[in-house]
Amino acid sequence: MMNVGKIQESVLKRSVIRQLKTKTEEVICGAGLAEDCAILSFQPGGDLLVSSSAAVKTGFDAVSYGIHTAVNNIAASGGKPAAVWLTVLLPPSAKEDELKNVMTQAEQVCAGLHVQIAGGHTEVTSAVSRIILSVTVAGSAPPENTVRTSSLHPGAELVVTKWVGLGGTAVAAKEKEGELLSRFPAYLVEEAKGFDRYLSILPEAAAAVKSGVCAMTDVSEGGIFGALWEMGESSGVGLEIDLKKIPIRQETVEICNYLDLNPYELLSTGSLLIAADDGYALADSLRKAGIPAAVVGKAVSGNDRVVFNGEEKRFLGPVRTDEIHKIL
């Protein structure tokens, strides 16, 4: 157990600062003892992009998901993420090894994304009963590259990268592994657990910006239905979506059917929703770059956001709660 208040200097050096190894050229002064402010330098004329997320340390890898969410938000805005700030709040029952484990995981994720942990705060407080992680990410982009979720216009076609439900499927496979193994072959469960290797959207976002897009958003909490609703609502346009064209892995279908989860309202970290005037050309260029992509529909005038499934249709609305919370 650790004392309530700021982390002791010896613990800070041993279990936090020593874990941080990744460096980026944008961070001039980063995390260090008594360094309470990071100093960053970006290319002249570039726009500063900032995003944040939060996660509760539960059974699944909340550290990875928290960082990927904030980093993906920067990428989906057309930017290059550079620096991460982590605030870690621990309950008094936490042990130093738990803090070290959080920081080790965070460094591994950031190294894979080539972003630097530039600072943050660690504290033990009785206000929390589990480890809470707050993530802030900063990046930059040339003004002509920045993209908004709310820039969708009628006639634009909608492209989804990789597959929906990736993040949620990985979480479900880890949380319910024993139960799933009693129903499915081990190879299917193992493959689903490995879907977290797809969590980053940095490659497709960079490729999409080069090809020309009008709007983008990462598909995370609330799933693809949530992302579609938010893009349509924020842009003030209608949508026509073909459910059968939304890309989804068979592992996701099988696991969601068994656990009674809607895969289209399931945590989909790792998928990117893109709007472009020529979605088919964009999807083709993404596939040539090795990124699975499919056109799933288009934006239309009006406010109706409709999903067609053959002769059936449903109207989209705000997603109240992500399906993943049914099993967490």
Side-chain angles (χ1 to χ4, degrees), residues 51-108:
S51 177
S52 62
S53 68
V56 179
K57 190 74 169 66
T58 55
F60 73 94
D61 195 357
V63 176
S64 178
Y65 280 77
I67 294 173
H68 272 101
T69 297
V71 168
N72 284 351
N73 288 338
I74 298 291
S77 295
K80 175 180 178 290
V84 173
W85 288 262
L86 301 177
T87 296
V88 184
L89 301 179
L90 305 103
S93 60
K95 299 178 181 179
E96 182 181 342
D97 283 349
E98 294 180 84
L99 173 60
K100 184 177 181 180
N101 182 50
V102 166
M103 296 309 303
T104 300
Q105 290 181 55
E107 170 59 26
Q108 289 173 348

Side-chain angles (χ1 to χ4, degrees), residues 38 123 133:
E123 184 166 336
L133 184 74

